[in-house]
Amino acid sequence: ETGVTQTPRHLVMGMTNKKSLKCEQHLGHNAMYWYKQSAKKPLELMFVYSLEERVENNSVPSRFSPECPNSSHLFLHLHTLQPEDSALYLCASSQEQANYGYTFGSGTRLTVV
Amino acid sequence: GQQLNQSPQSMFIQEGEDVSMNCTSSSIFNTWLWYKQDPGEGPVLLIALYKAGELTSNGRLTAQFGITRKDSFLNISASIPSDVGIYFCAGQGSSNTGKLIFGQGTTLQVKP
């Protein structure tokens, strides 16, 4: 596979569940990102990983926990979410020190019930 | 911090019409990018601009990097129904190597 792959594409979870979103990139990039996209709202940057180290955490609630085990994989662990956390969660990757922009995955549509 | 103002927020046009949207910033950017997001998908890069004054085309799409380096516009000519989606501008400044700042998006709807 090429590009950025996100799984699952759709997820419905209860507020007491624990689930994880997965992102995988096959582009040789060294930076990865999690974005949240809610209806009628702009893209919200959640986390940035550079060379597998978290370099940015934009005041995201602790019920969202990222993990970057290597430069090709990024996870977002979810627990005790709220209905307002329902959104499209997008993963992206890029090559730092370059200016070619980000490559996005297709996203995971999350619904919290 | 750096912010981008993208306008219009939404557009509803007739098939065949031309479309124009723009982004402005209070800060200088070194790179401007335009993305399109189809419903239920992630954004896909349409055009990248690297020099002030640069005008670049991709099919029916044309984008320009403003001469002041604080703005960019995207034009779509002869719109078709598959142009529907959300268009995002993104800028990359010199102080945040690699980090993109995104506009709020322009939602385009095309009536056949």
Side-chain angles (χ1 to χ4, degrees), chain A residues 4-77:
Chain A
V4 179
T5 304
Q6 287 188 245
T7 54
R9 289 296 309 272
H10 301 272
L11 178 63
V12 179
M13 60 185 289
M15 289 188 283
T16 58
N17 291 158
K18 287 186 181 181
K19 296 286 183 183
S20 295
L21 308 185
K22 179 182 176 182
C23 177
E24 189 172 356
Q25 59 98 1
H26 305 273
L27 300 168
H29 288 166
N30 57 13
M32 298 186 79
Y33 313 81
W34 278 117
Y35 279 87
K36 176 184 178 183
Q37 188 179 33
S38 304
K40 312 275 185 197
K41 286 189 177 180
L43 294 168
E44 299 175 52
L45 180 62
M46 300 175 71
F47 301 105
V48 179
Y49 275 83
S50 172
L51 299 172
E52 301 154 41
E53 284 193 28
R54 191 191 311 179
V55 296
E56 191 160 336
N57 175 347
N58 281 351
S59 304
V60 179
S62 60
R63 56 186 184 268
F64 295 91
S65 175
E67 179 190 2
C68 187
N70 55 62
S71 60
S72 300
H73 294 85
L74 185 66
F75 295 90
L76 187 62
H77 304 299

Side-chain angles (χ1 to χ4, degrees), chain B residues 69-106:
Chain B
R69 296 166 62 193
K70 293 184 178 181
D71 62 333
S72 178
F73 71 76
L74 176 70
N75 286 344
I76 304 173
S77 62
S79 58
I80 59 178
S82 62
D83 290 333
V84 163
I86 305 175
Y87 292 79
F88 291 98
C89 63
Q92 185 176 25
S94 57
S95 60
N96 291 292
T97 306
K99 181 178 176 181
L100 293 183
I101 308 298
F102 283 90
Q104 304 97 322
T106 295

Side-chain angles (χ1 to χ4, degrees), chain B residues 53-76:
Chain B
E54 181 181 353
L55 186 71
T56 297
S57 293
N58 178 4
R60 294 177 294 106
L61 278 60
T62 302
Q64 185 158 29
F65 192 139
I67 198 73
T68 64
R69 296 166 62 193
K70 293 184 178 181
D71 62 333
S72 178
F73 71 76
L74 176 70
N75 286 344
I76 304 173

Side-chain angles (χ1 to χ4, degrees), chain B residues 10-89:
Chain B
S10 62
M11 303 179 76
F12 190 89
I13 62 170
Q14 196 76 32
E15 181 178 0
E17 289 183 358
D18 296 343
V19 172
S20 185
M21 58 193 79
N22 70 84
C23 272
T24 59
S25 169
S26 56
S27 306
I28 289 173
F29 285 104
N30 292 332
T31 302
W32 282 95
L33 303 155
W34 285 92
Y35 285 83
K36 183 196 176 193
Q37 184 178 25
D38 289 327
E41 298 292 332
V44 173
L45 182 65
L46 296 173
I47 292 178
L49 302 157
Y50 300 107
K51 286 174 59 176
E54 181 181 353
L55 186 71
T56 297
S57 293
N58 178 4
R60 294 177 294 106
L61 278 60
T62 302
Q64 185 158 29
F65 192 139
I67 198 73
T68 64
R69 296 166 62 193
K70 293 184 178 181
D71 62 333
S72 178
F73 71 76
L74 176 70
N75 286 344
I76 304 173
S77 62
S79 58
I80 59 178
S82 62
D83 290 333
V84 163
I86 305 175
Y87 292 79
F88 291 98
C89 63

